[in-house]
């Protein structure tokens, strides 16, 4: 590829990307492939290709102009094709749901098993600018009073977004009730679901009995928990291991250790990208790409090895940008934190256009950010890593990092994106607003496709004015 690396970093639209793409040589295009397959595994395409295939929102979005980001988008948008290919070449496709980032570590420890998260399809109505999946969900008995995760029930119903999974592992317990209802509907459609229970991590003051010191443990990030939680999760993970053993006929603990190392490598790369992004004078990467990278930690977009290489490439590019003092936003962009992922990716672009930069996030996926200990028994290590989950603890614990950054004056405001119709998120939003009362906090409901009105823009503009 000629010159693209030397371009000044900026955000560009589809036409500009198509022009840049013409400069990429065939050798480079053939170099990157999923499942390491030379014949049909190529995924580099100009983003406009995916718009033609139906991701119509891409025509409104702006992307980082680096080759590294192009590689990432080509890979991410190719996921549906990849999952169907996986089935064609006899890989086992495993749906993992609700735990956000831990069960895939077990799945990846078995050869030719590809984990994926059906709930990530909640972005699809926005990318496709279509209410079809949401309307179908209403017909299936999940009306507007349920969050966008109801798109998942429609995807199972329609059978065209991913192949029928060989195994579906869904978490229940300390998970969201909206999502649980969605999955119960999927079960009613005739899908077999293996339920595992994730426990609630109670704060000590809420425990009925005062536990003895020897019954307590502390995660590396300082969360105190009852050891029984860990034991409980280990039992659940053993159940999953047995199910995967039955499915594949393979039982190789060594591979489990290797997977943990690989997962840790990805997690540390992503943490470092986040750190560089928040500390640099000029934001080296746009928020849209950053959110996509954070979510990749969950399962590697259905080809974990290739995803790690993509993130390594982005990491190296971000490092160079930081060293050169260049980036994609203005130097005076206002630092904010973003709480709960936005189902509509366009909002991330919009907030940056209004003059903000995202320097901290709480997307309920921090369990997929922590290092899994490599020097203790691996099931226990996996359980301990999950105990850090922001989705199984109190709201106070969830916003701790943001509060710390506010205290250091590194964050000037917090934006919370609620899901329209979500019960779980909106309940927690009010508590978060109260806890973060040291800075202006704006919470907005993410409307269904085509719903970003002038009123929402005006509220965002007013928020930016307040924190300037
Ligand atoms: S209500 Fe919130 S936590 Fe629950 S599925 Fe929807 S977005 Fe996720």
């Amino acid at each position: 590829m000629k010159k693209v690396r030397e371009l000044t970093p900026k955000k560009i639209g589809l036409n500009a990307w198509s022009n840049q793409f013409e400069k990429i040589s065939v050798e480079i295009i053939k170099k990157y492939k999923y499942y390491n397959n030379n014949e049909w595994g190529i995924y580099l395409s100009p983003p406009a290709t995916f718009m033609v295939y139906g991701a119509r929102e891409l025509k409104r979005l702006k992307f980082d102009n680096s080759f590294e980001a192009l590689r990432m988008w080509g890979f991410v948008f190719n996921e549906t094709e990849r999952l169907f290919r996986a089935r064609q070449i006899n890989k086992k496709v495993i749906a993992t749901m609700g735990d956000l980032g831990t069960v895939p570590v077990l799945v990846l420890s078995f050869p030719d098993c590809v984990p994926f998260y059906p709930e990530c399809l909640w972005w699809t109505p926005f990318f496709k600018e279509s209410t079809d999946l949401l309307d179908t969900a209403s017909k299936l008995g999940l009306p507007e009073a349920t969050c966008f995760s109801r798109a998942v029930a429609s995807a199972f119903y329609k059978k065209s977004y991913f192949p029928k999974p060989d195994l579906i592992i869904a978490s229940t317990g300390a998970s969201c009730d909206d999502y649980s209802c969605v999955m119960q509907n999927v079960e009613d459609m005739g899908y077999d679901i293996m339920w595992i229970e994730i426990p609630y991590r109670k704060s000590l003051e809420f425990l009925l009995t005062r536990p003895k010191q020897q019954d307590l443990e502390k995660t590396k990030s300082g969360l105190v928990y009852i050891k029984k939680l860990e034991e409980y999760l280990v039992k659940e993970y053993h159940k999953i291991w047995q199910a995967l053993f039955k499915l594949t006929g393979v039982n190789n603990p060594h591979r489990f250790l290797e997977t943990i190392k690989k997962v840790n490598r990805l997690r540390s790369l992503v943490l470092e990208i986040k750190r560089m992004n928040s500390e640099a004078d000029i934001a080296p990467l746009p928020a849209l790409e950053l959110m996509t990278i954070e979510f990749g930690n969950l399962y590697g977009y259905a080809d974990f090895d290739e995803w790690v290489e993509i993130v390594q490439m982005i990491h190296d590019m971000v490092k160079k940008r930081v060293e050169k003092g260049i980036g994609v936003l203005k130097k005076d962009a206002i630092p904010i934190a973003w709480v709960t992922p936005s189902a509509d990716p366009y909002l991330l672009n919009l907030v940056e256009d209004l003059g903000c930069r995202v320097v901290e996030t709480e997307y309920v996926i921090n369990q997929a950010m922590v290092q899994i200990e490599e020097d203790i028994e691996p099931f226990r290590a996996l359980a301990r890593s999950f105990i850090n989950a922001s989705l199984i603890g109190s709201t106070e614990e969830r916003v701790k990092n943001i509060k710390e950054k506010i205290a250091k004056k590194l964050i000037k405001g917090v934006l919370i994106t609620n899901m329209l119709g979500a019960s779980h998120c909106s309940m927690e939003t009010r508590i978060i607003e109260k806890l973060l009362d040291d800075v202006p906090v704006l919470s907005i409901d993410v409307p269904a496709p085509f719903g970003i009105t002038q009123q929402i823009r005006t509220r965002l503009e007013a928020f930016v004015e307040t924190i300037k």
Side-chain angles (χ1 to χ4, degrees):
M1 169 167 182
K2 293 177 217 156
K3 305 266 180 203
V4 175
R5 274 166 198 265
E6 289 154 34
L7 292 171
T8 307
K10 64 177 173 180
K11 297 200 293 187
I12 57 173
L14 293 191
N15 285 345
W17 246 125
S18 297
N19 293 337
Q20 269 190 203
F21 194 83
E22 283 176 21
K23 298 187 186 118
I24 301 175
S25 69
V26 176
E27 290 73 43
I28 294 286
I29 291 171
K30 284 186 175 169
K31 188 171 163 192
Y32 301 104
K33 52 223 178 232
Y34 65 87
Y35 299 153
N36 208 20
N37 187 291
N38 290 321
E39 210 181 323
W40 40 253
I42 291 166
Y43 59 82
L44 276 191
S45 326
T49 313
F50 303 104
M51 191 199 75
V52 173
Y53 284 138
R56 286 186 283 269
E57 193 180 47
L58 299 190
K59 66 183 179 302
R60 291 201 285 155
L61 295 177
K62 295 256 171 58
F63 307 95
D64 185 274
N65 67 340
S66 62
F67 174 77
E68 289 78 356
L70 171 84
R71 183 180 173 195
M72 181 189 90
W73 285 120
F75 185 76
V76 169
F77 282 118
N78 171 276
E79 184 178 331
T80 294
E81 174 188 314
R82 188 155 50 247
L83 288 170
F84 280 101
R85 286 281 193 200
R87 168 52 55 72
Q88 280 170 10
I89 56 171
N90 293 324
K91 286 181 187 284
K92 305 267 189 284
V93 177
I94 318 284
T96 59
M97 306 197 68
D99 72 307
L100 298 178
T102 308
V103 172
V105 183
L106 292 164
V107 176
L108 288 164
S109 304
F110 287 79
D112 287 329
C113 283
V114 178
F116 78 106
Y117 273 94
E119 60 244 61
C120 289
L121 274 162
W122 74 331
W123 278 307
T124 305
F126 299 92
F127 274 126
K128 288 193 177 287
E129 292 189 339
S130 158
T131 55
D132 184 51
L133 281 175
L134 302 173
D135 296 342
T136 304
S138 297
K139 287 185 196 139
L140 293 170
L142 292 155
E144 276 182 25
T146 324
C147 107
F148 298 129
S149 64
R150 70 189 195 276
V152 177
S154 312
F156 273 100
Y157 177 76
K158 286 175 175 274
K159 302 186 170 107
S160 49
Y161 289 82
F162 45 79
K164 185 171 182 228
D166 293 274
L167 183 65
I168 304 172
I169 305 163
S171 307
T172 184
S175 73
C176 154
D177 49 355
D178 291 52
Y179 145 82
S180 277
C181 292
V182 168
M183 284 315 291
Q184 282 164 43
N185 268 257
V186 171
E187 193 167 42
D188 288 346
M189 282 176 213
Y191 287 93
D192 278 336
I193 297 185
M194 177 182 180
W195 294 97
I196 62 150
E197 186 161 346
I198 50 179
Y200 182 57
R201 184 191 60 235
K202 283 187 182 166
S203 313
L204 289 188
E205 65 261 38
F206 289 112
L207 291 171
L208 292 176
T209 49
R210 206 80 207 138
K212 296 191 185 99
Q213 199 54 40
Q214 65 264 31
D215 296 331
L216 297 174
E217 192 59 89
K218 201 192 244 182
T219 69
K220 289 208 163 147
S221 62
L223 288 165
V224 179
Y225 64 93
I226 307 192
K227 275 190 204 156
K228 268 195 279 183
L229 280 193
E230 201 177 286
E231 289 156 28
Y232 188 83
L233 279 166
V234 166
K235 249 180 30 212
E236 294 299 273
Y237 293 158
H238 272 289
K239 246 169 44 188
I240 296 173
W241 186 274
Q242 287 308 317
L244 289 162
F245 173 29
K246 199 168 151 207
L247 188 70
T248 60
V250 176
N251 183 3
N252 182 355
H254 180 68
R255 211 184 140 102
F256 191 7
L257 289 172
E258 290 305 306
T259 304
I260 287 176
K261 284 187 187 146
K262 205 186 314 179
V263 167
N264 279 343
R265 180 180 159 212
L266 176 65
R267 292 180 179 190
S268 56
L269 283 171
V270 174
L271 272 180
E272 186 58 12
I273 292 173
K274 281 190 77 178
R275 186 196 62 74
M276 288 190 284
N277 180 65
S278 80
E279 291 177 5
D281 280 349
I282 300 177
L285 258 192
L288 180 57
E289 275 78 2
L290 271 170
M291 184 171 83
T292 309
I293 290 168
E294 278 199 47
F295 270 80
N297 272 19
L298 266 48
Y299 66 109
Y301 295 109
D303 181 347
F304 200 86
D305 291 332
E306 185 62 15
W307 178 249
V308 177
E309 295 313 315
I310 291 169
V311 175
Q312 178 73 62
M313 197 186 209
I314 292 175
H315 169 277
D316 298 348
M317 185 264 291
V318 168
K319 196 166 171 229
K320 271 190 212 144
R321 284 185 178 178
V322 175
E323 281 163 6
K324 288 185 182 166
I326 52 177
V328 285
L329 302 178
K330 289 192 179 138
K331 195 171 179 178
D332 61 358
I334 309 158
I336 62 164
W338 197 298
V339 177
T340 308
S342 166
D344 188 344
Y346 177 69
L347 281 170
L348 294 156
N349 268 193
L350 182 60
V351 168
E352 285 184 338
D353 288 349
L354 293 175
C356 294
R357 71 182 271 196
V358 179
V359 295
E360 183 57 272
T361 57
E362 209 316 283
Y363 292 149
V364 211
I365 56 171
N366 67 345
Q367 58 282 4
M369 292 287 165
V370 293
Q371 289 287 301
I372 307 168
E373 291 170 57
E374 293 180 16
D375 50 0
I376 58 172
E377 198 279 319
F379 283 96
R380 192 166 153 235
L382 195 61
R384 282 176 71 114
S385 74
F386 184 70
I387 283 169
N388 291 283
S390 45
L391 58 86
I392 62 164
S394 68
T395 310
E396 284 88 347
E397 288 162 345
R398 194 176 160 202
V399 296
K400 190 171 152 264
N401 285 348
I402 295 179
K403 274 189 93 70
E404 281 169 11
K405 283 203 168 166
I406 291 173
K408 290 182 190 158
K409 305 211 179 309
L410 299 171
I411 289 171
K412 289 204 172 167
V414 179
L415 183 63
I416 309 174
T417 32
N418 272 320
M419 297 319 128
L420 191 72
S423 57
H424 176 95
C425 289
S426 30
M427 269 189 322
E428 205 179 10
T429 295
R430 300 294 158 249
I431 311 172
I432 294 172
E433 281 174 348
K434 275 197 186 141
L435 289 168
L436 300 178
D437 57 2
D438 298 343
V439 290
V441 180
L442 175 70
S443 66
I444 52 167
D445 275 333
V446 178
F450 308 114
I452 296 182
T453 55
Q454 189 52 44
Q455 193 202 15
I456 292 178
R457 283 169 197 268
T458 308
R459 288 184 67 203
L460 285 169
E461 281 163 10
F463 170 68
V464 177
E465 282 306 315
T466 319
I467 57 179
K468 254 183 189 167

